[in-house]
């Protein structure tokens, strides 16, 4: 996996932001999504929807990957650093977090579920979107994690 791979807190952030699969992605993000599907060709599909399933892992990372202490203190979410550290360990008790990846591909439709949430589907608002989101970092992580999983 690349040294710049995002950590579990960032993966969870993107899952939360993208859930429901209603975002339109920019060209760079779509290119990485295409690469994920190409790598997954090595996995035998299931059913009429060419479903492929894997478990991907992401490292917890450091406390700096979790959140910004000063911001949380200013927002009065935590009172001190010890409380911040406790919150981090409660939310990420393990060094590794696991994510269930499910991809679907049928005719000209594609969908990606990560951690039980729909985070991408093709053909959504493509003709009507005024803004395209770049979430390339999530799908680069996914691409690297899939490579490690099927290698």
């Amino acid at each position: 996996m690349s040294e710049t791979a995002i950590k579990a807190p960032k993966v969870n952030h993107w899952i939360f932001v993208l859930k429901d699969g209603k975002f339109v992605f920019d060209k760079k993000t779509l290119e990485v999504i295409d690469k994920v599907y190409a790598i997954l060709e090595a996995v035998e599909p299931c059913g009429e929807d060419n479903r492929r399933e894997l478990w991907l892992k992401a490292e917890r990372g450091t406390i700096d990957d979790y959140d910004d202490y000063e911001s949380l203190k200013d927002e009065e979410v935590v009172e001190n650093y010890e409380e911040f550290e406790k919150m981090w360990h409660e939310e990420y008790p393990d060094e590794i977090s696991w994510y269930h990846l499910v991809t679907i591909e049928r005719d000209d439709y594609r969908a990606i579920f990560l951690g039980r949430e729909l985070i991408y589907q093709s053909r959504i608002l493509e003709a009507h979107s005024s803004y395209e989101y770049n979430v390339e970092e999530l799908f680069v992580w996914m691409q690297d994690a899939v490579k490690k999983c099927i290698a």
Side-chain angles (χ1 to χ4, degrees), residues 87-146:
M87 192 168 76
W88 173 55
H89 281 291
E90 285 175 355
E91 195 166 338
Y92 295 95
D94 300 318
E95 292 287 329
I96 299 292
S97 293
W98 291 92
Y99 298 91
H100 188 209
L101 171 69
V102 178
T103 62
I104 294 171
E105 188 169 26
R106 184 174 186 165
D107 302 321
D108 66 341
Y109 176 77
R110 286 178 164 180
I112 297 176
F113 295 82
L114 187 61
R116 296 187 217 143
E117 297 290 347
L118 175 63
I119 63 165
Y120 167 75
Q121 54 184 327
S122 59
R123 301 186 301 189
I124 296 300
L125 305 173
E126 290 172 351
H128 307 298
S129 178
S130 59
Y131 185 79
E132 296 178 341
Y133 292 85
N134 181 307
V135 291
E136 186 178 4
E137 71 176 355
L138 174 68
F139 293 101
V140 166
W141 165 81
M142 185 182 294
Q143 173 186 326
D144 291 346
V146 167

Side-chain angles (χ1 to χ4, degrees), residues 14 16 19 24-25 32 39 49 65 105-106 110 116:
W14 282 122
F16 178 77
K19 67 182 177 186
V24 176
F25 299 134
V32 178
I39 295 165
D49 58 5
D65 295 310
E105 188 169 26
R106 184 174 186 165
R110 286 178 164 180
R116 296 187 217 143

